Amino acid sequence: MRKLTNILYMFVAVFVAAAFTACSDDDNFEWAKKVSPDNPGVYFASSNEATATLTPEEYAQSQSFTLTLKRLNNKGELTVPIIVDKADKVFTIPTTATFQDGANETTLEIKYPGMEMLHTYTLIIHVDEAYTNPYVATDGMASFKYEASLIRWVKLTEGVFKWNQGEFADTRSEIYWLEGKNRFRINNFLNSGINWEFSILAADPMDASMHDAANFNPNDRSTWHGIPSPYNHWAADPAGKTCWFLMQDADNGIYAQWYPDGEEFVGIDFVNFWYDTSDEWWGNVDMRGSATEPCFKLIPFVYYTDETDSGYTNLYGYWDPIG
């Protein structure tokens, strides 16, 4: 019996020693960080714009932007250190942000004079960890990344747009390109008063049935054709169908409504456009232009203001070759 007891004691001793050895091997182990009950829980609001594409005119009006910071605990005045992880030299970043007593929000103004054309500037900052609470869900993050570019709109051409069955008169528009980007603009699109912007889903050079914005190259005009994808003034069909609506104010759900002929006789109550990225038959654009064929096509479903029969039609655009 004594022999069996000694064996058991030996087994327990070996097991305990092994356990301590295993624990000591993990020298990097750290217990979860404790957060005091009065931690302010400061973070950058999710409403902050993470990117900015500025025209020279916009940049001339303002060479700074403002970020919103929030906190979970609004007791007392609080000054929070702002840590810079990375920042191009054009940025002037305050080292602190201050909350007034009882305030849940404050702002941080960042200046960026001296930007040059066609260059992207980046900053990455974060709130000092002592003032954050990683264990509480918020509508933002303790760190923030921002990118800004200074780019001009370049006029490419003027185009004429025709309704397939002559539902409305032809309209003419100036067409612009945001230099260096996959972004184009048709001014006063269809006489709607809307400067509509779109990008191009270009065909994969190895598989023409696959369209993606990544296949577009601003420096290679051979990629400047494909499927037009709405960039602004648009909303997806709330019914979940394959189309998009032209919007006057997308943020507030206001549909575009206008009289293309300029007379309050029969106009457009609202309109959506077929959107299918599987084939350019449903919608296509060739920003290089064409001397013989339409270089723009959309398939709209028009709802008329006088409640007459609505339906699908084709919309075509024409402009001279631009290279």
Side-chain angles (χ1 to χ4, degrees):
M1 184 66 180
R2 180 178 296 176
K3 184 176 182 181
L4 178 60
T5 302
N6 290 338
I7 293 175
L8 287 174
Y9 276 129
M10 183 179 298
F11 174 77
V12 171
V14 171
F15 176 78
V16 171
F20 275 106
T21 302
C23 290
S24 63
D25 286 344
D26 188 1
D27 296 330
N28 297 322
F29 176 80
E30 294 182 5
W31 293 101
K33 176 185 175 182
K34 292 183 178 180
V35 177
S36 63
D38 60 348
N39 184 284
V42 179
Y43 61 94
F44 291 98
S46 60
S47 59
N48 291 313
E49 296 289 340
T51 60
T53 301
L54 306 169
T55 65
E57 293 76 18
E58 292 170 334
Y59 186 58
Q61 293 178 359
S62 176
Q63 298 183 5
S64 67
F65 65 96
T66 301
L67 297 178
T68 297
L69 289 95
K70 295 184 178 182
R71 62 173 173 170
L72 302 173
N73 183 345
N74 63 3
K75 294 181 181 179
E77 180 178 305
L78 177 70
T79 297
V80 182
I82 302 298
I83 311 300
V84 178
D85 299 304
K86 175 184 178 181
D88 288 319
K89 292 182 179 180
V90 297
F91 294 107
T92 301
I93 306 167
T95 57
T96 61
T98 299
F99 292 86
Q100 297 302 315
D101 183 22
N104 291 99
E105 296 186 6
T106 190
T107 58
L108 186 74
E109 183 182 18
I110 297 178
K111 299 179 180 179
Y112 51 177
M115 287 178 61
E116 298 180 355
M117 296 292 298
L118 301 178
H119 183 79
T120 298
Y121 297 88
T122 303
L123 71 80
I124 302 175
I125 56 180
H126 72 268
V127 177
D128 189 309
E129 293 180 359
Y131 298 84
T132 65
N133 189 339
Y135 307 114
V136 178
T138 63
D139 63 332
M141 297 182 65
S143 61
F144 182 76
K145 180 179 179 179
Y146 181 81
E147 292 185 337
S149 301
L150 183 57
I151 302 175
R152 61 176 176 264
W153 285 101
V154 178
K155 182 178 177 180
L156 294 176
T157 185
E158 290 188 11
V160 58
F161 297 86
K162 297 176 178 287
W163 299 88
N164 185 52
Q165 301 179 34
E167 294 92 336
F168 301 103
D170 299 349
T171 56
R172 299 191 67 88
S173 291
E174 294 180 334
I175 302 175
Y176 289 80
W177 169 47
L178 191 61
E179 189 175 21
K181 298 291 183 179
N182 184 1
R183 189 166 160 189
F184 300 85
R185 186 181 75 208
I186 301 175
N187 280 4
N188 192 20
F189 183 50
L190 304 178
N191 204 24
S192 66
I194 293 171
N195 294 336
W196 179 59
E197 298 174 17
F198 63 91
S199 56
I200 294 177
L201 305 181
D204 188 322
M206 303 301 293
D207 183 354
S209 67
M210 301 294 293
H211 292 79
D212 194 286
N215 298 323
F216 177 89
N217 183 347
N219 301 313
D220 181 0
R221 290 289 178 92
S222 69
T223 68
W224 283 36
H225 65 94
I227 297 173
S229 181
Y231 188 90
N232 69 347
H233 287 287
W234 75 281
D237 185 354
K241 297 180 181 178
T242 311
C243 66
W244 62 273
F245 282 85
L246 185 66
M247 307 295 289
Q248 178 67 40
D249 184 347
D251 291 336
N252 294 302
I254 301 174
Y255 294 94
Q257 181 185 60
W258 78 102
Y259 294 85
D261 292 330
E263 302 175 1
E264 293 190 6
F265 179 59
V266 178
I268 293 177
D269 191 33
F270 53 95
V271 60
N272 60 29
F273 298 92
W274 193 269
Y275 190 56
D276 188 332
T277 61
S278 65
D279 195 311
E280 293 185 26
W281 186 89
W282 304 100
N284 60 74
V285 64
D286 188 343
M287 291 310 304
R288 299 168 300 179
S290 172
T292 58
E293 298 292 335
C295 41
F296 179 90
K297 174 189 175 182
L298 289 177
I299 301 179
F301 190 97
V302 183
Y303 301 81
Y304 298 106
T305 55
D306 65 352
E307 299 183 354
T308 54
D309 290 341
S310 303
Y312 283 106
T313 185
N314 287 335
L315 177 69
Y316 297 105
Y318 302 80
W319 53 84
D320 293 332
I322 59 174

